């Protein structure tokens, strides 16, 4: 079992953060017994438990059950009112929708992160999702008649795999088919590029999102419990 430092997370949150992946009950017990040693090196460990063996230690909390969904890309309808965001920096609408997308995020639900961390993180993620020269990053948006963006999906692709990042529909406009139009357009666009598979992570607790992905043809690939173990 390897424990590795996460430099980006550590710099962003101004905490000493690492990650451990456990696969057996022996891993979990061994890790929990290293508290005194590990607290000298880390303030927080993300514990990934793909085999669902469980992790119990003082300061540890199950914060997420990450579901990875996937589906084969298909030649679905591309809607004319769905467009690509062209700017290199997010609009105010995209910043707003980015925060909507993270409603069930472990970074929002874990109150031990420094105040404002969730907002800063999702603002950074939508900034990084904007189209950049030399990358395959795209954001599909659906504006209303006043050019206010009511829904968006961020995408990156490499080889034959497309990966969805953030997905959001304005809370005032949900259940109006906005997300479905964007997803159908994205599916058709990637199919035409030769992308074979589309994947997206979400949280098991986000039951509305899970139902929506399944309605759009996604199937569960894996479920990974994630613990935050605070060593402060």
């Amino acid at each position: 079992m390897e424990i590795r430092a996460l430099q980006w997370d550590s710099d962003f949150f101004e905490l000493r953060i690492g990650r451990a992946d456990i696969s057996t009950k022996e891993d979990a017990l061994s890790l929990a017994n290293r508290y005194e040693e590990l607290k000298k090196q880390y303030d927080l460990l993300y514990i990934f438990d793909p085999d669902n063996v469980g992790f119990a230690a003082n300061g540890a909390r199950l914060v997420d059950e990450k579901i990875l969904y996937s589906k084969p890309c298909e030649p679905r309808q591309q809607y004319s009112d769905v467009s690509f965001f062209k700017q290199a920096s997010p609009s105010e609408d995209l910043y707003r929708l980015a925060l909507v997308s993270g409603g069930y995020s472990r970074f929002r639900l874990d109150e031990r992160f420094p105040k404002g961390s969730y907002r800063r993180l999702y603002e950074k993620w939508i900034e990084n999702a904007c189209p950049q020269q030399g990358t395959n990053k795209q954001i599909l948006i659906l504006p209303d008649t006043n050019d206010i963006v009511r829904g968006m999906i961020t995408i990156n692709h490499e080889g034959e795999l497309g990966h969805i990042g953030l997905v959001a529909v304005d809370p005032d406009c949900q259940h109006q088919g906005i997300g479905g139009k964007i997803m159908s357009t994205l599916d058709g666009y990637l199919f035409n590029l030769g992308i074979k598979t589309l994947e997206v992570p979400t949280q098991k607790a986000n039951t509305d999102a899970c139902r929506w992905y399944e309605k759009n043809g996604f199937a569960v690939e894996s479920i990974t419990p994630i613990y935050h173990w605070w060593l402060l």
Side-chain angles (χ1 to χ4, degrees), residues 31-216:
L31 185 63
N33 287 335
R34 295 174 63 185
Y35 175 83
E36 293 297 331
E37 168 200 348
L38 292 170
K39 73 177 185 179
K40 298 175 183 178
Q41 304 173 55
Y42 297 103
D43 300 315
L44 169 63
L45 286 178
Y46 306 151
I47 313 296
F48 283 68
D49 181 15
D51 295 304
N52 200 23
V53 300
F55 181 74
N58 184 35
R61 172 187 169 193
L62 179 64
V63 291
D64 189 8
E65 291 178 278
K66 177 183 175 182
I67 298 183
L68 181 66
Y69 280 104
S70 72
K71 71 179 294 296
C73 289
E74 301 172 285
R76 295 173 66 189
Q77 180 176 353
Q78 299 183 59
Y79 289 87
S80 60
D81 49 351
V82 175
S83 59
F84 288 99
F85 185 74
K86 301 295 186 183
Q87 301 173 33
S89 299
S91 64
E92 289 302 313
D93 289 340
L94 288 186
Y95 277 121
R96 173 177 52 81
L97 289 173
L99 296 180
V100 171
S101 75
Y104 286 82
S105 167
R106 59 191 171 98
F107 299 102
R108 177 176 180 268
L109 299 178
D110 189 340
E111 66 282 352
R112 294 195 64 176
F113 282 106
K115 185 177 181 180
S117 293
Y118 156 72
R119 174 179 287 272
R120 291 193 303 112
L121 180 63
Y122 275 78
E123 288 175 347
K124 174 60 72 173
W125 278 352
I126 194 63
E127 289 166 3
N128 289 342
C130 285
Q132 301 170 22
Q133 189 172 8
T135 73
N136 293 318
K137 296 178 180 180
Q138 297 282 358
I139 304 177
L140 273 77
I141 60 173
L142 197 157
D144 64 13
T145 55
N146 296 314
D147 289 330
I148 298 172
V149 177
R150 296 304 188 184
M152 62 105 179
I153 296 179
T154 73
I155 180 71
N156 196 7
H157 60 87
E158 184 175 359
E160 296 184 342
L161 178 64
H163 181 79
I164 292 173
L166 305 180
V167 179
V169 173
D170 189 315
D172 294 332
C173 302
Q174 293 181 0
H175 309 295
Q176 297 179 18
I178 290 173
K181 278 188 171 183
I182 302 174
M183 180 63 76
S184 180
T185 302
L186 173 61
D187 211 351
Y189 167 74
L190 292 177
F191 179 85
N192 290 338
L193 288 180
I195 306 300
K196 302 296 186 185
T197 305
L198 182 58
E199 66 177 23
V200 58
T202 192
Q203 300 84 23
K204 186 177 179 181
N206 191 351
T207 54
D208 285 345
C210 292
R211 283 193 293 268
W212 185 75
Y213 288 126
E214 291 165 13
K215 178 182 176 181
N216 278 276

